[in-house]
Amino acid sequence: MADDPVAPSTPSVSSSAAAPLGSSVIPIVNKLQDIFAQLGSQSTIELPQVAVVGSQSSGKSSVLEALVGRDFLPRGSGICTRRPLVLQLLQTNTDKEYGEFLHLPGKKFYDFSEIRREIQSETEREVGGNKGVSDKQIRLKIFSPNVLDITLVDLPGITKVPVGDQPSDIEARIRTMIMSYIKVPSCLILAVTPANSDLANSDALQIAGNADPDGVRTIGVITKLDIMDRGTDARNLLLGKVIPLRLGYVGVVNRSQEDILLNRSIKDALVDEEKFFRTHPVYNGLADRCGIAQLAKKLNQVLVQHIKAVFPGLKSRISAALVSVAKEHASYGEITESKAGQGALLLNILSKYCEAFCSMVEGKNEKSTNKLLGGARIHYIFQSIYVKSLEEVDPCEDLTDDDIRTAIQNATGPRSAVFVPDVPFEVLIRRQIIRLLDPSLQCARFIYDELVEISHRCLTNELQRFPVLRKRLDEVIGNFLREGLEPSETIIGHLINIEMGYINTSHPNFIGGSKAVEIALQQVKSSRIPSTVPRLKDGVVEPDKAPPSEKTSKSRAFLARHSNGFLTEKGARPSGDGEKVAPPGMFLF
């Protein structure tokens, strides 16, 4: 169904001073909106626009159709607008009227009933046909000589009770969707409220007040003025005496549902609206606040002034974004088309990565004062963390006299041993040596973690151009380091097993049997000297007058090292009166 075009003298009063300016700046903003719409949520630039808010059946769709002069929006019971509709009205110098959708580039809709069907099908494609709601936009441009340049966003009406496929929190979701548009300082708010309801309870004004508490961005629209109760009028509402708004109110008369069913044209409805306001005793003195024509003019003027106010900041943000993008683009370098050039570029990137890795390990790349990095961190792990963990290992921990006695008895079997066998000593020592394994494995894992951290820090700027290569390089280096950790841990285990396999008793620091007895005898000797050395009357010791018997009777004991149970060196013990000299080859304890 296509109505006759509306005469230019009805809603579009293009003789206003703002119209020439609006025809130049609003299309530019519309082009920017189309560009940023393709970026989706990635765009951080906030462009000026007018958001239409109101409850269900408040007359939002009728107002928008009256501004366009055509029937093109879905109609019916319940919620009709289920996705945000970005409506860009563009004034043309030709008599042709048509619409274009952003998701159907190049296709022109001259039949406005087809526009309605496309809106319905696109909505159902996204949210289904059972009253579902989505926040994904539908962008529609309408070119007509009978409109003023305006950009409007028709948002879903505020509803209370969920129906169909709507979730139980449909009201909260719709309010959140509306707030995401109107909370932006660059967005004007067109709050639509029916005149036959209490303005103080208006959902549109209530949500607009939350986003614009000072009322500097809100334009109030009072619809359905012709169906108010007799004896009442909206004069005080239009004058802003009930709820004041800086941008004021505009009253309109909508087509009734009967007019829509009878296919009454918008042109006839606008003529009747003009006659209603001209002949009404209350509204005839408020000509600048009543009618669709005045609403279109006011929206155009306010939008142009708003664009002028936000344009400097918008320009600076766009310029800053362009500079940032230009720097990022320059960092990507030139595009290489040939296979040879691509191979050379890849080799160059890998070479720089290897150089950066070696530099970090050698400490030539990054000089940080906050924490240790690279090779310095590896050195700290070996010299501080690992050494400290080894020093904390007590070689005699969990080793008691009972353990030693039991090990000796187990090694002697059913007979008592004259000599202390080597087996219990080696069994107990191996049990203590194995405790060095855990600190060593922990050190290896610390080194592995640091090498992984170095690999992450070595990503050069060239790799920023190729995120897939960067990800793949991370995977390869990570797998390489993990594959090296396992044999390293195996080697550490072998080294510990080697230490347990051969107990080196020839080491200079090892205290064997003979040395232990020598140390014990020296301690006994030192304890006897004070009681046997004579003293003079004045307390001075004369070493030359010490009894010769005591000089010759100093105890000596030597325990020979033995190998495979055979004695290799003779041992002797000093004998006194009545003592027998031990035969050669016997350990004395």
Side-chain angles (χ1 to χ4, degrees):
M1 178 185 67
D3 299 325
D4 295 332
V6 182
S9 60
T10 43
S12 59
V13 185
S14 57
S15 59
S16 63
L21 182 60
S23 61
S24 61
V25 298
I26 293 180
I28 296 176
V29 174
N30 292 341
K31 291 181 180 179
L32 291 175
Q33 286 179 337
D34 293 342
I35 295 173
F36 291 145
Q38 299 177 4
L39 299 177
S41 58
Q42 298 179 2
S43 173
T44 58
I45 305 298
E46 300 167 352
L47 297 175
Q49 58 189 3
V50 180
V52 184
V53 299
S55 58
Q56 280 186 207
S57 303
S58 61
K60 294 191 295 86
S61 298
S62 297
V63 171
L64 293 176
E65 288 182 335
L67 288 172
V68 177
R70 291 285 192 170
D71 286 312
F72 68 98
L73 293 175
R75 293 280 188 172
S77 59
I79 185 170
C80 299
T81 304
R82 297 187 286 146
R83 289 178 61 182
L85 175 65
V86 180
L87 180 62
Q88 298 175 353
L89 305 182
L90 302 174
Q91 190 179 47
T92 61
N93 297 325
T94 63
D95 295 335
K96 293 183 178 180
E97 293 181 283
Y98 61 92
E100 291 182 353
F101 287 95
L102 186 64
H103 63 274
L104 296 174
K107 184 176 181 180
K108 297 181 179 180
F109 293 82
Y110 293 94
D111 187 353
F112 281 77
S113 61
E114 291 185 7
I115 294 179
R116 180 191 300 110
R117 287 192 292 270
E118 179 60 28
I119 294 174
Q120 290 175 338
S121 62
E122 182 66 13
T123 300
E124 293 176 358
R125 184 188 63 82
E126 179 66 29
V127 297
N130 197 13
K131 307 299 181 182
V133 177
S134 172
D135 59 352
K136 293 186 177 180
Q137 295 179 349
I138 299 176
R139 305 187 68 87
L140 171 63
K141 291 182 180 180
I142 292 183
F143 300 84
S144 172
N146 305 316
V147 298
L148 293 180
D149 293 322
I150 306 171
T151 300
L152 302 164
V153 182
D154 185 19
L155 297 171
I158 302 173
T159 184
K160 302 291 185 181
V161 180
V163 295
D165 292 335
Q166 295 175 354
S168 58
D169 59 342
I170 183 63
E171 180 182 4
R173 292 194 180 189
I174 291 179
R175 287 181 177 271
T176 301
M177 184 193 309
I178 294 174
M179 284 297 297
S180 66
Y181 284 87
I182 65 177
K183 70 180 180 181
V184 180
S186 61
C187 179
L188 296 175
I189 306 170
L190 194 66
V192 180
T193 303
N196 57 353
S197 65
D198 188 0
L199 195 65
N201 297 325
S202 170
D203 291 329
L205 290 177
Q206 183 265 336
I207 195 171
N210 293 336
D212 180 29
D214 297 330
V216 297
R217 298 186 287 115
T218 305
I219 302 174
V221 179
I222 309 299
T223 62
K224 304 180 181 180
L225 292 176
D226 56 330
I227 61 174
M228 294 185 69
D229 293 339
R230 293 183 179 181
T232 61
D233 59 71
R235 181 179 179 86
N236 290 335
L237 303 180
L238 295 175
L239 293 175
K241 294 182 179 181
V242 180
I243 300 177
L245 294 175
R246 295 281 187 88
L247 300 179
Y249 291 84
V250 177
V252 298
V253 175
N254 301 96
R255 287 188 301 167
S256 64
Q257 190 65 29
E258 182 182 2
D259 294 337
I260 297 172
L261 294 176
L262 295 176
N263 294 330
R264 187 184 181 192
S265 67
I266 295 179
K267 177 181 178 181
D268 295 337
L270 292 176
V271 171
D272 291 343
E273 180 193 51
E274 183 182 359
K275 180 180 179 182
F276 172 80
F277 287 123
R278 187 176 63 252
T279 59
H280 198 281
V282 175
Y283 304 127
N284 59 3
L286 301 174
D288 59 334
R289 301 173 185 265
C290 297
I292 290 295
Q294 293 298 324
L295 177 61
K297 179 180 177 181
K298 187 178 187 68
L299 281 175
N300 180 265
Q301 292 175 341
V302 171
L303 182 59
V304 169
Q305 294 300 323
H306 189 62
I307 291 175
K308 290 174 60 179
V310 303
F311 187 77
L314 177 64
K315 182 179 180 180
S316 63
R317 288 194 298 272
I318 294 177
S319 299
L322 286 174
V323 172
S324 176
V325 172
K327 290 182 178 179
E328 182 181 359
H329 183 268
S331 67
Y332 292 153
E334 299 180 357
I335 299 176
T336 305
E337 298 292 343
S338 64
K339 293 293 183 180
Q342 292 175 359
L345 178 61
L346 179 60
L347 181 60
N348 182 43
I349 292 175
L350 296 179
S351 299
K352 288 186 177 180
Y353 177 85
C354 295
E355 292 175 1
F357 195 99
C358 295
S359 298
M360 285 203 67
V361 173
E362 296 174 1
K364 300 178 180 179
N365 187 15
E366 189 171 354
K367 303 297 187 297
S368 175
T369 59
N370 297 327
K371 62 178 181 179
L372 295 177
L373 299 173
R377 175 67 180 170
I378 295 176
H379 181 268
Y380 175 79
I381 292 172
F382 275 121
Q383 299 300 323
S384 297
I385 299 178
Y386 182 51
V387 172
K388 183 178 179 181
S389 63
L390 292 181
E391 291 175 349
E392 291 177 351
V393 176
D394 185 1
C396 296
E397 185 178 357
D398 298 332
L399 189 63
T400 63
D401 293 343
D402 292 336
D403 294 335
I404 299 174
R405 186 178 298 109
T406 303
I408 293 175
Q409 291 176 354
N410 289 333
T412 58
R415 294 172 298 178
S416 297
V418 179
F419 307 105
V420 177
D422 292 344
V423 174
F425 169 74
E426 293 180 356
V427 169
L428 296 175
I429 289 300
R430 287 193 184 99
R431 194 177 74 178
Q432 301 305 103
I433 292 177
I434 195 64
R435 298 177 58 202
L436 301 177
L437 180 61
D438 287 341
S440 302
L441 293 178
Q442 186 183 33
C443 177
R445 295 188 186 100
F446 284 161
I447 300 299
Y448 165 76
D449 294 338
E450 184 59 30
L451 291 175
V452 171
E453 182 67 21
I454 292 175
S455 69
H456 291 162
R457 289 178 173 271
C458 288
L459 297 177
T460 58
N461 293 331
E462 287 79 1
L463 280 174
Q464 304 298 329
R465 299 175 56 187
F466 309 104
V468 177
L469 176 61
R470 177 178 178 178
K471 181 179 178 181
R472 181 58 180 159
L473 188 61
D474 276 342
E475 294 177 357
V476 171
I477 297 299
N479 293 334
F480 175 77
L481 294 176
R482 273 193 299 274
E483 292 173 357
L485 178 62
E486 183 177 353
S488 299
E489 292 178 340
T490 303
I491 291 176
I492 292 174
H494 289 167
L495 291 175
I496 299 297
N497 290 333
I498 290 172
E499 296 296 332
M500 291 191 300
Y502 177 74
I503 310 300
N504 183 15
T505 58
S506 300
H507 195 277
N509 294 334
F510 180 76
I511 301 177
S514 59
K515 192 171 184 178
V517 173
E518 182 180 356
I519 294 173
L521 292 177
Q522 288 179 356
Q523 293 177 352
V524 172
K525 173 187 172 182
S526 62
S527 64
R528 289 180 179 179
I529 287 177
S531 61
T532 58
V533 177
R535 297 178 180 273
L536 297 178
K537 294 182 179 179
D538 58 356
V540 178
V541 179
E542 294 182 0
D544 295 337
K545 295 183 178 181
S549 59
E550 293 184 1
K551 295 180 180 179
T552 57
S553 62
K554 294 181 180 179
S555 300
R556 295 288 187 271
F558 300 92
L559 296 178
R561 286 189 298 111
H562 60 283
S563 175
N564 297 326
F566 294 97
L567 188 66
T568 57
E569 294 182 9
K570 293 183 179 181
R573 186 180 63 175
S575 60
D577 296 337
E579 292 183 351
K580 296 181 179 180
V581 178
M586 179 175 292
F587 286 90
L588 301 178
F589 293 91

